[in-house]
Amino acid sequence: MRIVKNRIWRVAVIIAVAFLVSIDAATGQEISVSPAASWYRDARFGMFIHWGPYSLRGFEASWPLFQGLIPMGEYEALPSQFNPVKFDAEKIVKLALETGMKYIIFTTKHHDGFAMFDTKLSAYSIMNTPYGKDIVKQLVDACHRNGMKIGFYFSLCDWYHPQYRDKTKPFPAGCKPEEVNQATWDQYLEFMKGQLRELCSNYGKIDIIWFDGGWERTAEQWKSAEIDSMIRLLQPEILINNRHLLDDKADFLTPEQFIPTATQMKLWETCMTINSTWAYNPYDHDYKSSRQLIHTLVRAVSGGGNFLLNVGPMPEGEIQRDFEERLGRIGEWLRKNGESIYGTRHGPARLYPGGFATVKGQRLFVHLPDGHDGLLLLHGIKNKIASIAVQGFSQSIAFKQEGLRTVIRIPYEAMDPYNTVVALELDGNLDYDPFVYAQDGGRFILLSSRAEILGSGMSYTLKRILVSYSSEEDALVGWSQTDDMVRWKCAITQSGEYSIVMNYDGGPALLNLSIQNQDVVITAPKTNRLERYRGMPRGTVNLKAGETEVRLHLKSIESSSRFKLRQIQLVPKN
Ligand code: FHN
């Protein structure tokens, strides 16, 4: 009883201190981070592993059942052939370490219900295969030996279990709540809680529970709150993701296969495949290049998120060569540039057009994708810059700082083939001025590349013409939802009437400009070729001097239309 009391006390302490609010350096946003999650926030990069008997067939985990690609009986017979004699947990953990990954998330049970661990609650497990050994235990022990954090992916839905679905019906029938009576469902929940208890009790310290498969029920039906509490009692410092459908209790959000562009108010982690399949698929050669994967890592971390990159081991337990090569390149890049990734916080939104930046104490890291012309124009740094260096390049870098503008020229020989990191040593913690100031004549040019993206549906696309900045093209694209919104911060010095001029392509669309408690409806008729990105007067607004937030959001757009915004101008009329 004392042990439980001790655990309750520790959980209480963690909750009591819970959710240290840290102010984000670049945006001033408050992000809530529990003390237990600080290692996770600093880790930035992890390995996802999807593996089970389905690897024998070289197709996706579980989903071929749903797609009718294999009869349930044939799929459920796969474990009888599963004997991954080349599985080497130490080798996989060492591969993750050499890649620069700080944690591993492993599929203990996917939607197919097959347990890759020694569960006493189901015969459908690794223990009843020719292999017959606990894969999860081997991996956990190797992680503990090597200082690698370990998390368990666990699917709430279980298409195998007779109390999860009505198995008298051909799958996928039988999974709906109304097809399973309450008593049977309660029995399934007891089974599921039992397996979670096994995973949280039998393998020592576990760092993350990565739920998945929640879509077939509600949080109430999953009894997610009860499960969340049970897990935290068993593993007081564990982190739990949001896929048990409890965002408020979740330690992090889990965008999948994309990088969110909007500022998130919680820790988040993008999970992504190297090709397009989570499991081993020898027919899927849709590989992302090492370059793309490094850029994705940089974009995720620059946005304040983590990147969880997936591998699907082959049937005998090895990782395919195509993946090992890419992980090797990423590891090389991180050995040279890791300081700009680990332990950093996201940098100012759009420090430079289309740019990505990370911050750690007095050091600001500006990330330049390969192909950048090396001419860097930064806006808004109030600090005095003590020095500038390029990671891996010994010579100092010339720069000119004039007020809030800093111009840097990176020599070609300093550039990295994938992503160049320019490290600015500041005279203190980053003091960033997000405001847009008037050009000569009092005109404000609110560039897309200076906007902070608040909406959910948009992506930021930059097509840079590497000739000079004045001809650079950038635009905010993908406007489709009424909560798609961007904001700028302006320092209005001259009160008076201003014309609103918009440079865009596409339409028709209807937008709303909110500024100093005024809402101006802006129409965007469909542009013809000559009007593309030309400044179009869209109305007027009276402004007072002072710091001003300008928000533009979509009111409506036809589904067949697209809208690409390059900039909004506020032009004084007098
Ligand atoms: O259906 C699963 C899928 O197989 C995979 O596990 C991903 C990883 O996040 N999650 C679900 C799809 O969202």
Side-chain angles (χ1 to χ4, degrees):
M1 189 53 186
R2 194 166 54 81
I3 294 173
V4 173
K5 268 189 183 166
N6 181 32
R7 279 183 167 160
I8 290 173
W9 178 79
R10 287 174 67 189
V11 170
V13 167
I14 285 173
I15 292 170
V17 181
F19 297 96
L20 291 177
V21 170
S22 65
I23 306 292
D24 199 280
T27 62
Q29 300 283 1
E30 293 187 354
I31 297 188
S32 60
V33 179
S34 74
S38 56
W39 75 263
Y40 173 81
R41 189 182 193 185
D42 290 344
R44 306 274 70 153
F45 189 31
M47 176 184 274
F48 211 169
I49 304 177
H50 277 69
W51 192 37
Y54 41 76
S55 58
L56 288 161
R57 297 296 289 269
F59 56 31
E60 188 58 282
S62 306
W63 285 104
L65 285 167
F66 194 85
Q67 295 146 353
L69 301 179
I70 180 172
M72 180 65 90
E74 199 177 320
Y75 187 100
E76 290 176 354
L78 291 174
S80 64
Q81 308 147 41
F82 192 52
N83 188 13
V85 294
K86 292 180 182 171
F87 172 65
D88 180 339
E90 191 76 12
K91 190 175 174 191
I92 287 181
V93 173
K94 289 276 175 52
L95 173 63
L97 286 170
E98 284 152 20
T99 307
M101 295 160 154
K102 302 298 182 185
Y103 60 103
I104 290 176
I105 305 293
F106 181 79
T107 49
T108 60
K109 187 178 88 168
H110 205 262
H111 318 327
D112 59 9
F114 183 81
M116 291 289 275
F117 63 99
D118 180 6
T119 175
K120 304 304 180 203
L121 303 175
S122 166
Y124 194 49
S125 84
I126 189 71
M127 306 313 286
N128 299 301
T129 64
Y131 184 71
K133 290 178 283 186
D134 189 333
I135 292 278
V136 167
K137 175 152 179 40
Q138 294 176 70
L139 187 62
V140 170
D141 291 349
C143 286
H144 288 165
R145 280 196 302 274
N146 289 281
M148 173 71 73
K149 298 282 190 181
I150 178 70
F152 292 162
Y153 169 109
F154 184 86
S155 174
L156 294 167
C157 64
D158 181 327
W159 297 339
Y160 175 86
H161 199 278
Q163 288 159 344
Y164 177 79
R165 69 176 190 86
D166 176 356
K167 292 192 90 167
T168 61
K169 296 179 181 170
F171 185 79
C175 290
K176 292 190 176 61
E178 58 274 16
E179 293 176 287
V180 179
N181 70 48
Q182 190 59 45
T184 305
W185 180 248
D186 290 345
Q187 287 175 293
Y188 171 70
L189 289 180
E190 283 312 303
F191 160 76
M192 185 176 81
K193 286 184 341 191
Q195 286 197 318
L196 284 167
R197 216 174 277 118
E198 289 180 314
L199 288 168
C200 293
S201 307
N202 302 344
Y203 297 96
K205 188 169 187 311
I206 304 305
D207 301 293
I208 293 173
I209 290 289
W210 211 99
F211 280 117
D212 202 7
W215 57 80
E216 291 186 339
R217 294 289 191 287
T218 65
E220 292 70 31
Q221 288 167 331
W222 291 121
K223 295 211 168 93
S224 297
E226 182 183 321
I227 288 167
D228 187 283
S229 305
M230 177 190 83
I231 291 168
R232 294 185 194 277
L233 204 53
L234 291 168
Q235 293 276 347
E237 298 189 355
I238 204 158
L239 305 179
I240 301 176
N241 74 350
N242 65 331
R243 294 202 182 182
H244 56 350
L245 314 183
L246 295 176
D247 272 14
D248 60 323
K249 290 181 182 295
D251 293 292
F252 60 93
L253 308 174
T254 54
E256 180 169 319
Q257 303 283 28
F258 74 96
I259 305 279
T261 45
T263 306
Q264 304 297 317
M265 296 321 290
K266 260 190 183 278
L267 295 180
W268 56 270
E269 166 198 88
T270 283
C271 56
M272 193 174 280
T273 50
I274 291 180
N275 48 12
S276 304
T277 317
W278 294 101
Y280 169 64
N281 181 346
Y283 314 103
D284 177 354
H285 296 275
D286 180 24
Y287 300 130
K288 297 171 187 73
S289 65
S290 307
R291 170 186 178 279
Q292 285 172 303
L293 294 169
I294 290 169
H295 286 182
T296 305
L297 171 64
V298 167
R299 283 180 59 208
V301 178
S302 299
N306 284 18
F307 184 39
L308 185 66
L309 184 57
N310 181 75
V311 294
M314 296 190 281
E316 295 202 311
E318 295 170 302
I319 305 293
Q320 65 196 83
R321 192 85 204 98
D322 308 292
F323 287 5
E324 284 185 327
E325 279 165 9
R326 285 159 177 77
L327 297 182
R329 292 277 185 284
I330 297 170
E332 275 170 33
W333 186 85
L334 279 168
R335 279 188 288 279
K336 174 182 166 189
N337 298 289
E339 185 193 4
S340 70
I341 298 292
Y342 303 120
T344 60
R345 300 292 174 259
H346 81 51
R350 318 279 176 258
L351 182 65
Y352 70 95
F356 302 103
T358 51
V359 177
K360 186 157 56 182
Q362 299 189 189
R363 290 168 72 73
L364 171 63
F365 302 100
V366 180
H367 295 266
L368 306 185
D370 61 301
H372 192 283
D373 60 6
L375 171 62
L376 199 47
L377 167 59
L378 305 181
H379 304 274
I381 299 174
K382 294 171 76 174
N383 303 81
K384 179 164 175 26
I385 298 171
S387 66
I388 294 181
V390 171
Q391 305 291 71
F393 183 67
S394 57
Q395 295 164 39
S396 65
I397 300 295
F399 67 96
K400 190 173 182 186
Q401 189 173 13
E402 289 172 335
L404 293 173
R405 282 162 54 97
T406 302
V407 183
I408 306 171
R409 163 58 80 188
I410 311 294
Y412 178 76
E413 57 273 22
M415 302 294 263
D416 179 274
Y418 294 115
N419 183 87
T420 302
V421 175
V422 184
L424 283 68
E425 186 68 41
L426 307 175
D427 63 355
N429 287 344
L430 175 64
D431 184 3
Y432 176 67
D433 179 341
F435 288 96
V436 177
Y437 292 90
Q439 309 273 322
D440 299 342
R443 172 192 300 246
F444 287 87
I445 300 180
L446 308 182
L447 280 171
S448 294
S449 55
R450 296 295 311 278
E452 188 182 345
I453 300 170
L454 302 179
S456 55
M458 285 188 296
S459 65
Y460 180 86
T461 300
L462 179 86
K463 196 173 78 182
R464 189 196 314 269
I465 303 164
L466 293 178
V467 175
S468 76
Y469 274 84
S470 58
S471 62
E472 150 198 297
E473 183 187 36
D474 66 77
L476 283 164
V477 300
W479 298 72
S480 62
Q481 301 164 40
T482 52
D483 66 352
D484 284 344
M485 185 186 296
V486 293
R487 102 172 138 194
W488 296 269
K489 292 181 178 176
C490 297
I492 306 284
T493 49
Q494 179 187 328
S495 301
E497 192 176 18
Y498 286 76
S499 292
I500 301 166
V501 177
M502 187 160 77
N503 302 51
Y504 73 98
D505 181 26
L510 200 58
L511 301 105
N512 185 83
L513 187 79
S514 305
I515 184 167
Q516 292 190 355
N517 299 320
Q518 302 169 72
D519 283 316
V520 182
V521 176
I522 294 188
T523 58
K526 185 169 176 49
T527 54
N528 61 39
R529 201 169 49 78
L530 295 176
E531 293 164 330
R532 195 165 174 271
Y533 290 133
R534 293 179 66 86
M536 314 263 273
R538 295 290 91 201
T540 61
V541 64
N542 269 305
L543 298 178
K544 298 186 189 67
E547 292 185 356
T548 298
E549 187 173 280
V550 182
R551 287 177 179 240
L552 181 73
H553 83 264
L554 186 71
K555 285 176 74 75
S556 66
I557 189 168
E558 291 167 23
S559 56
S560 58
S561 298
R562 57 187 176 77
F563 176 73
K564 292 170 64 177
L565 176 74
R566 180 188 285 184
Q567 64 189 38
I568 292 263
Q569 299 176 57
L570 299 173
V571 185
K573 293 197 84 167
N574 44 20

